[in-house]
Amino acid sequence: MTVWITRRAEPHVAHGLRTSTGPLAAMRLAVKDNVDVAGLPTTAGCPEFGYLPERDAAAVAALTAAGAVVV
């Protein structure tokens, strides 16, 4: 069973899957909550210490630039 702390709304994910381009086009990407994704809380499993990053971590930025869609 997969437990999500935060998940993007399905319409946002669906739009990304339809419009992505590149070698990873339309690949779904799950990112552990201790890695920054712009607009999603980074909590490292502890919401009390969470924050909302303004930009993606370098690895996430590279994957999304290649077409992956963050779920």
Side-chain angles (χ1 to χ4, degrees):
M1 177 171 84
T2 302
V3 177
W4 298 85
I5 292 176
T6 304
R7 185 174 160 95
R8 289 196 183 208
E10 192 55 37
H12 184 273
V13 173
H15 178 265
L17 293 173
R18 285 191 310 270
T19 60
S20 66
T21 60
L24 299 179
M27 296 289 290
R28 293 174 185 255
L29 173 65
V31 179
K32 191 169 171 75
D33 71 334
N34 63 345
V35 177
D36 287 349
V37 176
L40 294 179
T42 300
T43 66
C46 187
E48 294 82 13
F49 296 111
Y51 63 94
L52 204 59
E54 294 182 11
R55 58 185 164 181
D56 294 335
V60 175
L63 289 164
T64 56
V69 178
V70 175
V71 178

